[in-house]
């Protein structure tokens, strides 16, 4: 097991929205799950922010780590995470980082109270 995969102790499903134009000319949105049971690690970005957001019912930013090569895009949602049952994370930033010779993907995602599982 590599240095990176040792701390990927959770799994999630990546959901992606597709947009189609309906016959009436209006947009139609559907969600697909291109990836399921993806190993990941989730860490609150700022503990103070998390405490404040809990009181104010706002979004909290989290860092989510994946093995390098996971296809996650801005706008995707992360769902089916046992520790966050009934909630989803909305991806707003993506980057890659190098730890020694092992690479991993780090994303930033919002978690909103009562976010649902869509």
């Amino acid at each position: 097991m590599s240095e990176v995969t040792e701390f990927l102790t959770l799994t999630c499903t990546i959901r992606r929205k597709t947009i189609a134009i309906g016959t009436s000319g209006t947009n139609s949105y559907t969600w697909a799950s291109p990836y399921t049971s993806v190993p990941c690690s989730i860490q609150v970005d700022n503990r103070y922010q998390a405490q404040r957001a809990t009181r104010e019912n706002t979004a909290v930013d989290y860092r989510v780590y994946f093995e390098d090569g996971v296809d996650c895009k801005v706008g995707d949602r992360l769902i089916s995470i046992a520790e966050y049952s009934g909630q989803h994370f909305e991806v707003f930033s993506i980057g890659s980082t190098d730890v020694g010779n092992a690479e991993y993907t780090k994303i930033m995602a919002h978690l909103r109270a009562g976010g649902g599982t869509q």
Side-chain angles (χ1 to χ4, degrees):
M1 189 177 281
S2 79
E3 194 176 326
V4 173
T5 56
E6 289 178 14
F7 73 95
L8 303 178
T9 58
L10 302 173
T11 61
C12 71
T13 295
I14 298 174
R15 303 267 296 165
R16 187 161 297 149
K17 183 177 4 180
T18 57
I19 303 170
I21 299 176
T23 55
S24 63
T26 59
N27 289 341
S28 172
Y29 303 96
T30 59
W31 290 90
S33 298
Y35 303 97
T36 59
S37 300
V38 180
C40 64
S41 176
I42 300 173
Q43 301 170 8
V44 68
D45 191 42
N46 178 314
R47 188 157 306 281
Y48 171 75
Q49 178 191 41
Q51 292 168 344
R52 187 188 77 226
T54 300
R55 289 191 307 268
E56 297 175 1
N57 198 26
T58 59
V60 180
D61 294 343
Y62 283 78
R63 295 180 303 252
V64 183
Y65 299 92
F66 298 104
E67 288 185 278
D68 189 45
V70 170
D71 181 29
C72 194
K73 301 180 184 311
V74 171
D76 284 354
R77 290 184 175 173
L78 309 178
I79 65 167
S80 301
I81 306 163
E83 285 76 1
Y84 300 92
S85 178
Q87 297 177 304
H88 70 262
F89 292 84
E90 297 176 27
V91 177
F92 69 88
S93 176
I94 300 174
S96 292
T97 308
D98 191 352
V99 175
N101 292 328
E103 292 191 12
Y104 62 91
T105 299
K106 176 178 93 173
I107 68 160
M108 296 296 294
H110 297 302
L111 176 67
R112 299 185 192 282
T117 58
Q118 185 62 291

